[in-house]
Amino acid sequence: MMSNNNTAERNRFEGGVPRHIAIVMDGNGRWARARFMPRHAGHRAGVSSVRKVVETAGELGVEVLTLFAFSSENWDRPAEEVSVLMDLLLRTLQKESARLHEHNVRIRLIGERSRLSLRLRQEIAAAEELTASNTGLTLVIAASFGGRWDLLQAARQVAEDVQSGLLSADELDEQRFSGYLSLGGLPDPDLLIRTGGEQRVSNFLLWHLAYAELHFVNTLWPDFGAEELKAAVENFGGRKRRFGRTEEQAERLSRA
């Protein structure tokens, strides 16, 4: 028999769980500053939140979780902080890949890899190869990533294919163009969460967020965990998503 607690937990998400959640993990530096600690302490504390959120997303049945770990613009931060962030990403992959593989999680990295160190690129490739056949949650790590960069690299690839005769301009539509983007083959995010109190997308998944529901919270990333993610999913379940249709049309489609 299902306990009252389990029943309440199930009823909490009757509105539906998003297939794909994207998160801008903001507030690590402010979290550290409030505790009179160096910024890198906040970034290290944030790894614990990543672990909790990945675990909870898998439990909820989320298919894809995309985490904005390092943006194209973050390269302009002080060299010491960039070095700490790159080292943290490397060590986290080394430490967590095997555990994620055991839990059937597939790892995928999107971003401009040429700017990453050879050692980090090798670790990313190893993690992707190790987990390539897994069928559970797909964990996408956006590192050295920018939405404008993604659109530009896709446009360049399209131009090359048209020039070489592999593609004609008449064949290009939204679905085909999406395949050239970094998230090709994955569903667009249904829900974007940003922690830390800011309310902007910060050059994240510009093409893919066209119809995502946006959820902004004041919670700083190191304080964001399972309950905060569940609250965001619960809020998502109460949204009416019409995708440009009337409310009546959307209701008919949802019942179909």
Side-chain angles (χ1 to χ4, degrees):
M1 179 179 295
M2 181 175 289
S3 70
N4 290 334
N5 287 340
N6 288 338
T7 300
E9 186 78 350
R10 183 192 62 185
N11 292 340
R12 186 176 178 182
F13 307 115
E14 282 188 344
V17 172
R19 294 181 65 194
H20 186 168
I21 298 176
I23 305 180
V24 178
M25 305 179 292
D26 196 15
N28 291 333
R30 282 172 284 160
W31 182 92
R33 187 168 61 246
R35 290 160 177 77
F36 304 101
M37 301 166 69
R39 287 179 61 85
H40 66 76
H43 295 308
R44 297 186 191 285
V47 174
S48 177
S49 292
V50 170
R51 191 177 295 114
K52 294 172 187 174
V53 165
V54 170
E55 181 178 337
T56 304
E59 292 172 353
L60 292 176
V62 175
E63 294 178 24
V64 184
L65 175 66
T66 299
L67 302 179
F68 204 8
F70 190 87
S71 75
S72 301
E73 291 74 24
N74 287 157
W75 288 111
D76 295 326
R77 290 191 175 189
E80 182 180 0
E81 182 174 354
V82 171
S83 178
V84 167
L85 287 166
M86 291 295 104
D87 183 67
L88 186 60
L89 178 56
L90 174 65
R91 293 181 183 278
T92 301
L93 281 170
Q94 291 172 333
K95 184 177 180 181
E96 300 292 336
S97 294
R99 187 180 68 85
L100 291 170
H101 179 51
E102 290 176 2
H103 287 82
N104 200 29
V105 174
R106 181 164 65 112
I107 299 172
R108 179 169 167 180
L109 185 131
I110 59 173
E112 193 174 3
R113 298 194 188 198
S114 62
R115 300 194 68 176
L116 305 175
S117 70
L118 175 60
R119 186 180 179 192
L120 180 52
R121 294 199 305 270
Q122 291 172 335
E123 194 64 41
I124 290 165
E128 289 179 327
E129 182 178 2
L130 174 67
T131 63
S133 299
N134 291 344
T135 57
L137 173 72
T138 295
L139 173 61
V140 181
I141 302 168
S144 188
F145 179 88
R148 290 180 176 179
W149 165 83
D150 196 22
L151 289 166
L152 183 59
Q153 64 85 25
R156 285 172 174 162
Q157 290 181 44
V158 168
E160 289 176 4
D161 284 354
V162 170
Q163 188 175 24
S164 64
L166 294 174
L167 177 72
S168 72
D170 292 338
E171 292 175 316
L172 189 63
D173 55 18
E174 288 188 13
Q175 183 176 358
R176 190 179 293 269
F177 184 75
S178 292
Y180 285 88
L181 295 166
S182 296
L183 285 181
L186 296 176
D188 287 344
D190 302 293
L191 173 65
L192 170 72
I193 302 170
R194 180 169 185 145
T195 64
E198 303 291 350
Q199 299 186 17
R200 55 179 178 268
V201 298
S202 292
N203 192 25
F204 195 17
L205 301 166
L206 298 182
W207 173 276
H208 310 85
L209 294 177
Y211 276 102
E213 298 296 322
L214 309 182
H215 184 81
F216 301 109
V217 294
N218 292 324
T219 308
L220 302 177
W221 178 248
D223 293 325
F224 192 92
E227 284 308 309
E228 288 76 17
L229 180 63
K230 290 177 181 179
V233 171
E234 183 180 14
N235 179 275
F236 169 85
R239 308 272 185 104
K240 292 185 177 180
R241 309 185 73 202
R242 298 195 296 272
F243 300 96
R245 302 179 180 90
T246 66
E247 187 169 340
E248 291 76 13
Q249 288 176 310
E251 288 180 355
R252 285 198 296 272
L253 284 173
S254 67
R255 291 194 298 266

